[in-house]
Amino acid sequence: MKPQITTVHSLAGLRSTLRRLAHRMGLPVELRYRLALSAVRVAGAELAAGRPVLLETVPPQPCGEGAGERPAGSRPSGGRSAGTRPDSTRPDGARPDGTRPHGDRAEAQDTGRLVVRLHLPHAPRRPSLEGLPLPAERLPGTTAVWRVPVPLPAGGGDADRDDPPGLVDLLEEELSAAVDRADTLAEDHQRLKHELAETNSGVLALYVQLEERDEQLRQAHGRILRQLEDALRPPPVQVPGLEMAVHYEPAEKHAPTGGDLYDWFVLPDGTVHITVVDALGHGLTSTRSALNVTHAVRTLALEGHPLDSIVARTDEVLATFDHELMATVQLVRLDPVTGELVLANGSHPPALLVRADGESSLLEVRGRGIGFPLPGSERLLRDRLDPGDLLVLYTDGLTESRRDPREGEQRLALAAGRHRHRPIEDIPAAIAAEMHTVILHPDDTVALTVRRTSG
């Protein structure tokens, strides 16, 4: 096969010429239709406008005819004899698009390659070569070039085929190759989908296992916290003539311990002592501070210290080893037989007394808490709890959820009046639920109720 230049006037002629050329050179089918599609895209606008294009084809150079190694009597690169003008150049030695041959260096580069140059001599601008099925090299001017590797023929003979099939046969061959390619891609896609499904299944199984493990850890954590709460919050004292219940609600659900604690126990004289503490802060640090207060108060009460001195004495005891401690505290003594009620206070919200007939009052005692200047209760408040009366002790998280303690105390009196006839174990939680319908300032909350029975 010799180098040649063909003037092409139609897209059909360009497709037919390239397909037959590629078949004669033994190019793979996929490479053949990629070359034809690329050339049509480059020349399509010119041919559609009625302007012809020039198709130049140069067959592969034999390996022994590279630069500087032409055998005696052989033709120079480009298929021309010395002293003759090939049909691929003008009389001045230039190609039809005005460029000149690249010489021996290009010839060496094209060894074993079919070179296809597409010249657009009448194009007003350089053609776009972006996104072609077979990438092209841009030459000066309006020329695109493809350098396509040509497979070696069996036995090392000539690659030209003398009897090429018809154009329809070539198209059918390309279509068949495209279908095979599509089938292969579909199989690969299905295989990848299957592998992805298996991977997703494994990931999902792992995720389920992790969720199960997390749930087990949450349950174990919950059991530990409930055990801790049971140790920190003693159950109600069982004393004839009194019913007692308590509700605790942490400010943060993931930290169910805080600085709001209580303690109740029976003194040797048969009276019931109740302590309610609200230590500054949240979490375990405030829990430790509140525990120090309740333990110190219990010790002092069991030793027989007067009720009006216990707040101040607790501050003296704890100041030596907990300099950061600040806590409000309320102390209550209640005689289950007579109903006599005595209160001491250190900066704590007032207790609420709801009579059996629904009338309510706040039991306010002035005083300063643990860690405050001049700590202690200024006096003792005495009252009487009659059968059916309800005493409500609490921390400020119950009444200050809307940032207005006075408004909270009024709502507390109404809520306690509405729920006073319910079973005692339900009253604290019912009051807290009604008080916390709107929470603007979340805080730990203790609600403790005591009701005197007729027995």
Side-chain angles (χ1 to χ4, degrees):
M1 179 179 173
K2 300 178 180 181
Q4 62 182 12
I5 290 180
T6 304
T7 301
V8 181
H9 297 273
S10 66
L11 288 175
L14 180 62
R15 294 190 188 100
S16 175
T17 300
L18 282 174
R19 282 191 167 95
R20 287 192 170 92
L21 169 68
H23 175 76
R24 284 160 51 201
M25 298 305 301
L27 297 184
V29 176
E30 180 178 352
L31 194 56
R32 184 174 77 205
Y33 64 70
R34 285 181 179 273
L35 176 61
L37 287 174
S38 299
V40 165
R41 289 190 185 180
V42 173
E46 286 297 289
L47 294 174
R51 295 189 289 265
V53 299
L54 300 178
L55 180 64
E56 178 185 2
T57 56
V58 180
Q61 300 299 313
C63 296
E65 296 185 11
E69 295 188 21
R70 295 193 186 93
S74 65
R75 293 184 300 171
S77 173
R80 60 184 181 273
S81 300
T84 65
R85 178 171 58 86
D87 55 358
S88 61
T89 58
R90 299 199 309 243
D92 61 358
R95 294 195 180 96
D97 64 343
T99 62
R100 295 181 178 274
H102 294 275
D104 292 342
R105 187 173 182 180
E107 292 172 2
Q109 179 184 358
D110 295 337
T111 299
R113 295 174 182 268
L114 168 66
V115 179
V116 178
R117 299 187 184 94
L118 189 60
H119 308 283
L120 313 181
H122 306 292
R125 65 183 63 87
R126 302 175 72 183
S128 173
L129 303 183
E130 298 296 328
L132 295 179
L134 186 63
E137 173 188 346
R138 186 186 299 279
L139 293 183
T142 56
T143 298
V145 62
W146 290 269
R147 304 180 192 277
V148 185
V150 175
L152 291 175
D158 189 2
D160 290 356
R161 303 182 183 185
D162 297 330
D163 187 20
L167 183 60
V168 173
D169 295 331
L170 294 176
L171 289 174
E172 288 182 352
E173 186 180 17
E174 293 176 11
L175 180 60
S176 176
V179 171
D180 291 342
R181 178 64 172 164
D183 291 342
T184 301
L185 291 176
E187 292 175 0
D188 291 343
H189 181 254
Q190 190 63 31
R191 176 178 53 80
L192 290 175
K193 283 180 62 178
H194 179 69
E195 293 177 356
L196 182 60
E198 290 184 342
T199 301
N200 289 341
S201 177
V203 171
L204 180 60
L206 179 60
Y207 179 78
V208 171
Q209 292 177 2
L210 291 175
E211 281 292 312
E212 292 175 350
R213 179 67 60 86
D214 287 345
E215 181 60 27
Q216 294 172 358
L217 291 176
R218 282 193 292 268
Q219 293 178 0
H221 187 224
R223 288 193 296 269
I224 294 172
L225 290 176
R226 284 191 293 272
Q227 294 171 1
L228 179 60
E229 287 190 31
D230 292 342
L232 295 177
R233 310 182 195 286
V237 178
Q238 302 297 322
V239 177
L242 296 177
E243 295 178 323
M244 291 181 280
V246 66
H247 171 78
Y248 172 73
E249 186 175 326
E252 300 175 354
K253 298 299 182 183
H254 64 276
T257 61
D260 292 20
L261 289 184
Y262 60 90
D263 190 21
W264 39 21
F265 51 91
V266 180
L267 291 170
D269 61 1
T271 59
V272 175
H273 178 98
I274 303 175
T275 302
V276 180
V277 177
D278 185 357
L280 182 67
H282 299 288
L284 292 176
T285 300
S286 59
T287 302
R288 181 187 62 187
S289 298
L291 276 174
N292 289 337
V293 174
T294 57
H295 289 168
V297 169
R298 178 183 279 248
T299 300
L300 293 171
L302 291 174
E303 287 180 351
H305 289 265
L307 185 63
D308 59 355
S309 69
I310 289 181
V311 175
R313 287 286 298 131
T314 300
D315 181 84
E316 293 176 6
V317 171
L318 298 180
T320 57
F321 64 88
D322 193 348
H323 303 289
E324 303 296 326
L325 171 62
M326 291 190 71
T328 67
V329 58
Q330 188 171 67
L331 309 178
V332 176
R333 293 282 174 85
L334 185 59
D335 189 331
V337 177
T338 66
E340 181 182 1
L341 176 68
V342 183
L343 287 90
N345 197 331
S347 304
H348 202 80
L352 174 68
L353 179 58
V354 182
R355 299 298 179 180
D357 60 4
E359 182 183 351
S360 63
S361 59
L362 293 173
L363 307 180
E364 299 191 67
V365 182
R366 297 187 63 179
R368 289 157 298 281
I370 312 299
F372 289 70
L374 302 176
S377 183
E378 293 187 2
R379 65 183 183 91
L380 296 178
L381 184 149
R382 298 180 184 275
D383 208 315
R384 180 182 178 84
L385 201 64
D386 295 324
D389 291 350
L390 181 72
L391 178 67
V392 182
L393 308 176
Y394 56 93
T395 56
D396 58 7
L398 186 67
T399 55
E400 296 183 10
S401 62
R402 300 186 184 182
R403 296 195 178 98
D404 186 344
R406 287 302 176 187
E407 184 266 348
E409 290 168 358
Q410 294 171 4
R411 290 192 299 113
L412 175 61
L414 295 174
R418 278 191 288 270
H419 299 296
R420 70 184 187 278
H421 297 304
R422 300 181 66 159
I424 190 65
E425 61 270 14
D426 297 337
I427 295 177
I431 293 175
E434 184 170 333
M435 295 295 291
H436 287 167
T437 53
V438 177
I439 299 179
L440 302 179
H441 176 66
D443 197 2
D444 299 333
T445 298
V446 166
L448 186 152
T449 55
V450 180
R451 183 166 60 194
R452 189 179 177 201
T453 64
S454 58

